[in-house]
Amino acid sequence: MQPHRGTLVLVLGILSIVVCQILGPFAWIMGNKDLAAMASGQMDKEGEGQTKAGKICGIIGTILLILGIIWGILVGIGIAGAASSPEFQEAMKEMQEIQQSQPAQ
């Protein structure tokens, strides 16, 4: 019988929520595999609670990761759209003219 990795899964899950969301899928996948191994009797069931908690934290971290990616894409689209607007282009031309008209220091 293998020893449980409940503490590892839980730590990965918590870190995926608090610090680094990329760890979320790892905690989720490891939690699924370990819970399946516990159910089949191949792994020590003592860490089942920790493993379940880590899996849930991993799911939450994965959701946060996906939301962060979507937010980043939307911000990028917004910045690209703003940069291509006629108002922005005109403001950039005015700034360049002002910089060119000022004497070099």
Side-chain angles (χ1 to χ4, degrees):
M1 182 177 296
Q2 296 175 325
H4 71 84
R5 300 183 299 183
T7 305
L8 174 63
V9 175
L10 183 58
V11 167
L12 287 175
I14 291 171
L15 288 175
S16 75
I17 293 174
V18 178
V19 179
C20 184
Q21 287 77 30
I22 195 69
L23 297 174
F26 294 105
W28 189 356
I29 291 167
M30 286 178 65
N32 276 340
K33 289 181 180 180
D34 288 3
L35 289 172
M38 288 177 191
S40 67
Q42 297 174 351
M43 188 173 280
D44 182 17
K45 287 190 175 192
E46 186 179 322
E48 187 173 9
Q50 291 177 335
T51 304
K52 284 181 181 179
K55 176 185 167 185
I56 291 168
C57 290
I59 291 170
I60 294 168
T62 302
I63 291 169
L64 292 174
L65 174 66
I66 292 168
L67 291 175
I69 290 170
I70 291 170
W71 181 81
I73 290 170
L74 292 176
V75 167
I77 290 171
I79 290 172
S84 65
S85 71
E87 294 86 6
F88 181 79
Q89 298 296 327
E90 183 64 31
M92 290 301 295
K93 286 180 186 176
E94 289 175 11
M95 287 177 61
Q96 288 174 348
E97 290 171 1
I98 291 170
Q99 286 178 346
Q100 290 172 354
S101 66
Q102 292 178 350
Q105 295 181 3

